[in-house]
Amino acid sequence: LLERAGMPQGTIEMAKEVVASCKVCRTWAPPPSKPIARTSLADNFNDEVLMDVMFYRRVNDADGPESPYCLLIDDAVRLRMMTFMLNRTSTQFRVVILRWSSVYGVMGILKCDLERGVIAEDLQVFLESKSIRFVPLTGGPSGRHTQTAVLDSAIRSSRKVMHRIDEAADREDVTL
């Protein structure tokens, strides 16, 4: 505002210092955001696994269908596994969990939002039979270090990688 009014740069810098030390100005300043950190962390690989569904649409097919992919992330070491899903039924989630278990072993705790296919009774029975404890990820505080933020960040980066692969395949005239 001062710059647009034609104030010299030196005066603008002095105004910043005055505003920073002024009691009246500080009462109107918005409070700084407080980082929210998690209170519990996974100790070992495969103790806790986070799961979420990502929807992906090819870059050059804006009107095409969105395909569901299930993303699993180990909470201790952030190892990821992504699996294409035909749909979001409990049967498909069972396939994803069995695929993870066949490669990395049976997880201790599965943390996921309340997907219909995950909270289905048959999948819950399956999880109990494998001694996998299900912990729902529901709402709660948001921030950079929460478990849902870890999933959201992984989904964003995975989607970027998939877009790059699609673009490279188009350039090379390869059908995926």
Side-chain angles (χ1 to χ4, degrees), residues 52-56 67-71 82-85 162:
D52 202 2
V53 175
M54 174 187 106
F55 293 94
Y56 178 73
S67 302
Y69 288 83
C70 188
L71 180 65
M82 185 179 294
T83 305
F84 173 76
M85 299 174 72
M162 291 174 76

Side-chain angles (χ1 to χ4, degrees), residues 141-161:
S142 62
R144 293 183 325 146
H145 302 292
T146 62
Q147 290 172 328
T148 53
V150 169
L151 283 165
D152 292 341
S153 174
I155 286 173
R156 280 192 307 273
S157 64
S158 298
R159 191 174 282 126
K160 284 180 185 177
V161 168

Side-chain angles (χ1 to χ4, degrees), residues 32-172:
S33 62
K34 296 178 182 175
I36 299 172
R38 292 175 32 201
T39 56
S40 67
L41 298 172
D43 293 329
N44 300 308
F45 176 75
N46 223 9
D47 279 353
E48 296 180 16
V49 176
L50 309 173
M51 181 171 75
D52 202 2
V53 175
M54 174 187 106
F55 293 94
Y56 178 73
R57 178 179 290 137
R58 297 205 47 182
V59 175
N60 59 358
D61 192 7
D63 297 326
E66 284 189 328
S67 302
Y69 288 83
C70 188
L71 180 65
L72 291 141
I73 304 173
D74 177 75
D75 199 23
V77 298
R78 298 293 194 256
L79 178 107
R80 301 178 194 180
M81 183 179 88
M82 185 179 294
T83 305
F84 173 76
M85 299 174 72
L86 296 172
N87 51 45
R88 298 183 315 178
T89 62
S90 58
T91 305
Q92 286 293 301
F93 283 110
R94 177 186 286 203
V95 168
V96 169
I97 293 166
L98 285 171
R99 186 166 290 153
W100 174 278
S101 298
S102 69
V103 176
Y104 304 113
V106 178
M107 62 192 76
I109 298 172
L110 175 65
K111 294 184 175 184
C112 178
D113 55 7
L114 298 174
E115 287 280 341
R116 228 182 347 221
V118 175
I119 61 173
E121 187 176 341
D122 61 326
L123 187 67
Q124 292 299 314
V125 169
F126 168 75
L127 292 174
E128 286 177 23
S129 73
K130 298 290 184 187
S131 300
I132 300 171
R133 190 165 63 102
F134 172 70
V135 177
L137 291 176
T138 56
S142 62
R144 293 183 325 146
H145 302 292
T146 62
Q147 290 172 328
T148 53
V150 169
L151 283 165
D152 292 341
S153 174
I155 286 173
R156 280 192 307 273
S157 64
S158 298
R159 191 174 282 126
K160 284 180 185 177
V161 168
M162 291 174 76
H163 283 310
R164 288 182 186 140
I165 291 170
D166 270 351
E167 290 168 352
D170 287 344
R171 279 193 309 272
E172 299 294 325

